[in-house]
Amino acid sequence: DYAGAVEDFSAAIALEPGNADFYHNRGFALRKQGLFERAIHDYTRAVQLHPGHCRAYYNRAFCHDRLDHVEQAIDDYSRALAMEPTNATALHNRGSLHERAGRPDAAIADFTAAIAADPCCAASYNARGARRELGDHHGAVQDLTRAIGLDPTDLLSYSRRAHCFRRMGEYESAVTDYTKAISLSPNNAKLHTIRAYCYAMIGWYGEAVADYNTVLALEPTNSHAAYNRAIALEKLGGAIDRAAADLSHQAAAAAAAAAAA
């Protein structure tokens, strides 16, 4: 009952207005109700009363993040980290904020520090892998493989690793990961679309057509999928014709060999 908690801590503050924890705890109850501006006000009062209140800085950073106050959130996480330098969650969250602010190197540095602080945090491997996939596909695959090992049900890690494999031209590996991602999100038209592309790149046109059929069942007005399905059908027809011609040629050769014998 967070609303009741706000009332209780308000009463406590009235009796003891110099208690930083009361303001922090009321701020937390406000935060849990999505009342981020009011929570920030209470966290600010808590750090005024107790400048070393690490959790108040951390939770104020969280509220600033939810309000898209990126720089204020980074500043507060930095203050919290000055007191708790191995707080893996604060490092991860600050890294995500650096990413949003367009500072990829700072983001990777924070994700790396978060991993050092908590080597079992799949989210930090995933996040660092997402940044590295922009240029270091092999490094990204390593991070995303580690994330999948820690959380085998993480859809995002499979789809991101598949993206890396696709960019590296390893289409069969990409298909494997997209297939796993699709098993976790069967009605995801985007995943079916990209897997269809990978199928086509390795000449599996029948499978590509099947994926485009699924996309069009989910999104009947998807002209991109309709166009690519037509191309895949054309390629499939050509492949069938070539296979038939090969079989005919082989049969003729066998008949000639039998006649010569």
Side-chain angles (χ1 to χ4, degrees):
D1 179 7
Y2 292 114
V6 168
E7 292 181 6
D8 288 343
F9 285 119
S10 295
I13 288 167
L15 294 171
E16 194 177 337
N19 189 311
D21 285 337
F22 290 164
Y23 281 100
H24 170 269
N25 294 344
R26 187 175 69 176
F28 184 80
L30 290 165
R31 184 196 118 180
K32 296 298 285 188
Q33 296 177 82
L35 301 172
F36 300 120
E37 294 281 6
R38 290 176 60 189
I40 286 171
H41 182 272
D42 272 356
Y43 292 135
T44 299
R45 184 59 181 147
V47 298
Q48 287 171 345
L49 292 167
H50 178 19
H53 203 304
C54 182
R55 296 308 297 175
Y57 283 115
Y58 176 93
N59 284 310
R60 190 172 68 174
F62 181 95
C63 294
H64 278 307
D65 185 356
R66 289 298 181 271
L67 294 170
D68 204 29
H69 302 163
V70 173
E71 298 303 331
Q72 294 96 317
I74 289 173
D75 184 61
D76 274 347
Y77 278 128
S78 296
R79 290 172 183 268
L81 285 163
M83 290 175 259
E84 291 184 5
T86 60
N87 186 319
T89 304
L91 287 163
H92 177 91
N93 291 350
R94 189 176 67 177
S96 297
L97 289 159
H98 279 308
E99 183 176 18
R100 280 161 57 188
R103 294 188 283 268
D105 291 342
I108 288 175
D110 271 350
F111 294 140
T112 300
I115 289 166
D118 181 6
C120 294
C121 181
S124 294
Y125 283 105
N126 185 309
R128 188 174 70 174
R131 292 308 315 163
R132 295 174 77 178
E133 75 174 279
L134 298 178
D136 178 11
H137 297 305
H138 291 283
V141 166
Q142 291 176 352
D143 276 347
L144 294 166
T145 299
R146 179 64 173 147
I148 289 167
L150 291 166
D151 183 1
T153 64
D154 183 18
L155 167 66
L156 196 54
S157 290
Y158 284 109
S159 61
R160 283 176 168 170
R161 191 174 68 173
H163 173 76
C164 290
F165 283 133
R166 179 166 62 90
R167 294 294 297 272
M168 294 161 65
E170 298 182 17
Y171 296 110
E172 291 192 27
S173 295
V175 163
T176 298
D177 274 356
Y178 283 127
T179 299
K180 181 60 179 180
I182 287 168
S183 75
L184 297 169
S185 180
N187 294 323
N188 189 314
K190 182 177 180 180
L191 292 174
H192 282 284
T193 298
I194 304 173
R195 187 176 68 173
Y197 169 85
C198 294
Y199 276 137
M201 291 301 293
I202 55 178
W204 295 10
Y205 299 113
E207 289 81 358
V209 169
D211 263 343
Y212 286 129
N213 286 341
T214 299
V215 174
L216 289 165
L218 295 168
E219 299 177 354
T221 62
N222 189 323
S223 58
H224 175 79
Y227 175 78
N228 285 327
R229 183 177 66 175
I231 293 175
L233 283 167
E234 182 180 5
K235 297 281 190 180
L236 180 62
I240 291 172
D241 289 344
R242 286 193 299 274
D246 284 345
L247 287 171
S248 177
H249 178 75
Q250 291 171 10

